[in-house]
């Protein structure tokens, strides 16, 4: 039997929980489901929820004393859940229960993760205004820039989503703050993610629990995910090594050109040495824990071949700028290095450091 477990985190939501249960009953008629309230409230919400539990066999609840945190509350709910499909939604009716059957259908049709999105055509983030809208957009941009898997998701901060249990089974989740979905998108085991648009409703009662501290939690969370996700960690280490290589290259070039040699010769020598510098750091740092499809010597040969193409680009740009356009040689060379680095990055990413079993999840909008 396929049971749907709906986890609802609550913090002081005494006005809406009862209505939510009523609306779920209508929206999910015919489906086998349970609702799990994970409550951290300081008002009388626990009593209201306890009454709901007594009245409805489908409703279960847990109250955490002296604890706060939306994401950890959701994890607590996952631990209690009996269903093979897990959903998360807010208690304040901003997430319309009518969307759940559509999400569930996507799961039945093979999706592993279904996100209800405010930011797709047909969606609406009407619950956000002014400053919060700007902050939310900026936060989304940061998440997308830092984390590869987040890039193709339109609403990675959504608090409204559904997953197959297998997506998180055996996965170590340790989110900071609110964004449990981002944690799952980055670390989860899924091959098929679907987003469906929905209209975020205005809050029915009580007030939002969002606070400025969540911005800090969010940035902390993103940084932690970069470190914990091998794919993203490698990308950023690779970029850092590349930047250090540009510095090494430029310094060497400045020294070499003090002697009476062609700038092209100096650029070739400093470029080759910077290449070896980069390779050493990438071996020791970037790819240290990544199983490679090729032996080290082959990887080096590929890396060197790619680097030579980069150096060639560098030399051509340097010559043109320095000899034909009279650009000072330092600047001409730096421009060349950057041109070469861009070509290098493309080629390395596609070819040299090809990973074992390098496969990315399929994303779809429905
Ligand atoms: N257990 C528990 N503990 N629940 C909490 C806590 C907590 O510390 N803080 C908030 N909640 C519950 C609320 O009671 C509500 O059911 C849900 O989490 C969302 O909180 P809201 O205060 O309604 O958040 P919001 O509407 O401002 O934010 C919504 O949009 C964000 C994106 O802008 C939520 O859907 C967020 O998840 C989402 O990231
Ligand atoms: Mn809300």
């Amino acid at each position: 039997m396929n049971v749907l477990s709906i986890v609802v985190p609550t913090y002081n939501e005494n006005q809406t929980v009862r209505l939510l249960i009523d609306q779920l009953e209508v929206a999910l008629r015919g489906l086998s489901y349970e609702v799990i309230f994970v409550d951290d409230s300081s008002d009388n919400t626990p009593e209201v929820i306890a009454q709901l539990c007594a009245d409805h066999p489908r409703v279960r609840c847990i109250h955490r004393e002296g604890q706060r945190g939306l994401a950890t509350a959701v994890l607590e709910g996952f631990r209690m859940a009996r269903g093979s499909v897990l959903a998360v939604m807010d208690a304040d009716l901003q997430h319309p229960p009518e969307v759940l059957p559509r999400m569930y259908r996507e799961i039945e049709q093979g999706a592993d993760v279904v996100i209800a999105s405010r930011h797709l055509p047909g969606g609406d983030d009407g619950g956000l205004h002014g400053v919060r809208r700007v902050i939310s957009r900026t936060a989304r941009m940061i998440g997308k820039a830092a984390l590869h898997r987040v890039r193709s998701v339109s609403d990675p901060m959504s608090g409204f989503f559904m997953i197959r249990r297998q997506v998180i089974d055996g996965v170590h989740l340790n989110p900071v703050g609110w964004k449990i979905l981002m944690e799952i998108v980055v670390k989860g085991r899924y091959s098929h993610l679907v987003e469906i648009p929905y209209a975020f409703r205005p809050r029915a009662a009580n007030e939002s629990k969002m606070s400025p501290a969540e911005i800090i939690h969010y940035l902390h969370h993103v940084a932690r995910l970069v470190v914990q996700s091998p794919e993203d960690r490698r990308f950023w280490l690779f970029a850092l090594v590349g930047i250090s290589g540009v510095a090494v290259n430029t310094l060497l070039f400045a020294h070499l050109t003090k002697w009476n040699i062609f700038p092209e010769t100096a650029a070739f020598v400093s470029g080759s040495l910077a290449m070896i510098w980069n390779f050493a750091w990438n071996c020791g740092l970037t790819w240290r824990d990544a199983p490679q499809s090729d032996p080290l010597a082959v990887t080096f040969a590929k890396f060197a071949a790619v680097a030579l193409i980069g150096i060639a680009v560098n030399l051509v740009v340097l010559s043109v700028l320095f000899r034909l356009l009279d650009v000072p040689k330092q600047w001409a060379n730096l421009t060349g290095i950057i041109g070469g680095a861009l070509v290098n990055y493309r080629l390395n990413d596609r070819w040299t450091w090809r990973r074992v079993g390098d496969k990315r999840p399929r994303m779809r909008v429905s």
Side-chain angles (χ1 to χ4, degrees), residues 13 90-95 132 178 200-201 203 207-209:
E13 306 286 4
D90 294 349
D92 55 5
L93 305 176
Q94 293 195 270
H95 296 158
R132 241 199 96 175
W178 276 44
F200 191 66
R201 289 198 197 135
R203 212 173 215 284
E207 68 262 0
S208 170
K209 312 317 183 289

Side-chain angles (χ1 to χ4, degrees), residues 183-218:
E183 180 88 6
I184 293 172
V185 166
V186 173
K187 294 184 181 172
R189 298 200 183 110
Y190 56 93
S191 57
H192 190 179
L193 182 149
V194 175
E195 285 192 282
I196 58 178
Y198 84 101
F200 191 66
R201 289 198 197 135
R203 212 173 215 284
N206 300 91
E207 68 262 0
S208 170
K209 312 317 183 289
M210 182 58 82
S211 74
E214 287 312 322
I215 299 173
I216 306 294
H217 288 154
Y218 173 74

Side-chain angles (χ1 to χ4, degrees), residues 5-318:
S5 295
I6 303 165
V7 173
V8 184
T10 49
Y11 183 78
N12 297 354
E13 306 286 4
N14 53 9
Q15 307 286 311
T16 48
V17 280
R18 189 170 288 279
L19 262 169
L20 177 68
I21 294 301
D22 293 345
Q23 294 190 7
L24 284 171
E25 214 154 71
V26 176
L28 298 177
R29 189 152 289 149
L31 259 178
S32 154
Y33 71 95
E34 61 175 1
V35 179
I36 301 173
F37 286 109
V38 186
D39 180 64
D40 295 337
S41 299
S42 57
D43 66 356
N44 72 333
T45 308
E47 287 93 79
V48 180
I49 290 177
Q51 191 56 51
L52 280 173
C53 282
D55 296 347
H56 300 261
R58 293 179 184 287
V59 180
R60 301 165 65 205
C61 50
I62 178 171
H63 178 75
R64 305 193 302 175
E65 201 56 58
Q67 259 205 79
R68 281 295 303 274
L70 178 48
T72 57
V74 170
L75 289 184
E76 190 64 50
F78 285 166
R79 271 190 287 275
M80 284 176 65
R82 299 184 182 128
S84 53
V85 178
L86 311 172
V88 178
M89 73 188 300
D90 294 349
D92 55 5
L93 305 176
Q94 293 195 270
H95 296 158
E98 309 85 75
V99 183
L100 284 166
R102 281 169 58 205
M103 297 166 79
Y104 192 73
R105 215 166 306 131
E106 292 290 348
I107 296 269
E108 284 181 321
Q109 287 169 5
D112 300 305
V113 177
V114 184
I115 302 173
S117 165
R118 297 161 290 183
H119 307 301
L120 286 175
D124 182 11
D125 69 349
L128 292 183
H129 307 279
V131 180
R132 241 199 96 175
R133 195 186 206 121
V134 174
I135 293 176
S136 162
R137 179 166 298 180
T138 313
R140 208 158 61 239
M141 269 167 46
I142 293 173
K144 286 179 183 231
L147 299 157
H148 185 270
R149 276 186 168 197
V150 171
R151 212 154 297 160
S152 31
V153 176
S154 75
D155 197 354
M157 323 279 205
S158 179
F160 195 13
F161 60 93
M162 200 179 279
I163 59 172
R164 285 175 200 278
R165 183 186 275 282
Q166 293 92 297
V167 171
I168 57 161
D169 251 351
V171 176
H172 180 61
L173 300 173
N174 55 348
V176 197
W178 276 44
K179 308 305 177 190
I180 179 66
L181 175 61
M182 212 173 56
E183 180 88 6
I184 293 172
V185 166
V186 173
K187 294 184 181 172
R189 298 200 183 110
Y190 56 93
S191 57
H192 190 179
L193 182 149
V194 175
E195 285 192 282
I196 58 178
Y198 84 101
F200 191 66
R201 289 198 197 135
R203 212 173 215 284
N206 300 91
E207 68 262 0
S208 170
K209 312 317 183 289
M210 182 58 82
S211 74
E214 287 312 322
I215 299 173
I216 306 294
H217 288 154
Y218 173 74
L219 295 176
H220 180 188
H221 193 189
V222 170
R224 191 144 123 179
L225 282 174
V226 167
V227 174
Q228 291 178 351
S229 136
E231 175 185 30
D232 297 303
R233 186 179 60 228
R234 273 186 238 131
F235 174 81
W236 290 108
L237 285 174
F238 191 77
L240 277 179
V241 169
I243 290 167
S244 79
V246 172
V248 167
N249 196 342
T250 321
L251 287 174
L252 283 171
F253 181 80
H255 273 282
L256 291 172
T257 46
K258 282 184 195 145
W259 296 326
N260 189 21
I261 55 175
F262 288 124
E264 285 85 353
T265 313
F268 180 77
V269 173
S270 50
S272 304
L273 290 173
M275 181 262 287
I276 293 169
W277 163 278
N278 281 6
F279 187 79
W281 283 105
N282 278 326
C283 281
L285 216 59
T286 316
W287 310 102
R288 192 180 44 197
D289 45 10
Q292 294 296 311
S293 10
D294 298 324
L296 189 66
V298 175
T299 307
F300 181 74
K302 284 178 168 183
F303 191 86
V306 168
L308 283 176
I309 296 173
I311 292 172
V313 171
N314 181 351
L315 292 188
V316 170
V317 174
L318 165 67

